[in-house]
Amino acid sequence: MEKLDYRELVQKIINQHAQEHSEEDMETTEIVFDLERDRYLLLYVGWRDEERMYGPIHIDIKDGKIWIQRDFTEIGLAHQLVELGVPSSDIVLGFRAPYIRQFTGFAVV
């Protein structure tokens, strides 16, 4: 079986989340891909009325695994990746404490 291109999948998911926001929100959406270091971010930055908006999605690829560092999505990035064919053993919930990861059903690392 051919290995999935994790870079391509991560970029696809981030671009999808960026496109799902209304035109009003698009002004405050920043996509940042550091392909050399395999860091991928989607940032919501700005103001809505008097409320500060800042919400990142942050994913890294390290040692052949996808590390979800920050996830503000309702559906969950890990579940989206599994639906795209990524084995749960290749997904690390970096935003969870290392001792909790053993209970998540994803990679422990």
Side-chain angles (χ1 to χ4, degrees):
M1 189 165 105
E2 189 176 320
K3 182 147 171 96
L4 296 170
D5 184 343
Y6 288 170
R7 288 176 173 163
E8 183 180 307
L9 291 177
V10 168
Q11 290 175 31
K12 177 181 178 178
I13 285 175
I14 287 179
N15 281 317
Q16 284 176 343
H17 281 281
Q19 291 174 359
E20 288 174 359
H21 287 272
S22 69
E23 289 298 318
E24 178 182 315
D25 291 338
M26 291 302 283
E27 293 179 311
T28 61
T29 303
E30 298 177 15
I31 297 173
V32 182
F33 293 159
D34 180 347
L35 303 176
E36 186 177 320
R37 292 173 191 83
D38 275 327
R39 289 186 171 85
Y40 306 89
L41 296 117
L42 174 60
L43 301 170
Y44 305 109
V45 181
W47 293 89
R48 180 177 293 144
D49 299 320
E50 293 185 25
E51 182 181 352
R52 177 71 172 157
M53 294 173 38
Y54 182 80
I57 290 175
H58 177 177
I59 302 173
D60 295 330
I61 300 174
K62 298 190 279 187
D63 300 322
K65 297 200 183 293
I66 299 173
W67 284 71
I68 301 171
Q69 304 291 10
R70 194 71 161 177
D71 182 357
F72 279 107
T73 66
E74 287 184 32
I75 191 168
L77 297 170
H79 297 293
Q80 287 182 284
L81 289 164
V82 168
E83 287 177 6
L84 291 172
V86 177
S88 58
S89 59
D90 281 357
I91 301 170
V92 180
L93 302 181
F95 58 89
R96 297 278 184 221
Y99 72 92
I100 300 267
R101 292 182 197 150
Q102 63 184 319
F103 306 111
T104 65
F106 296 97
V108 175
V109 181

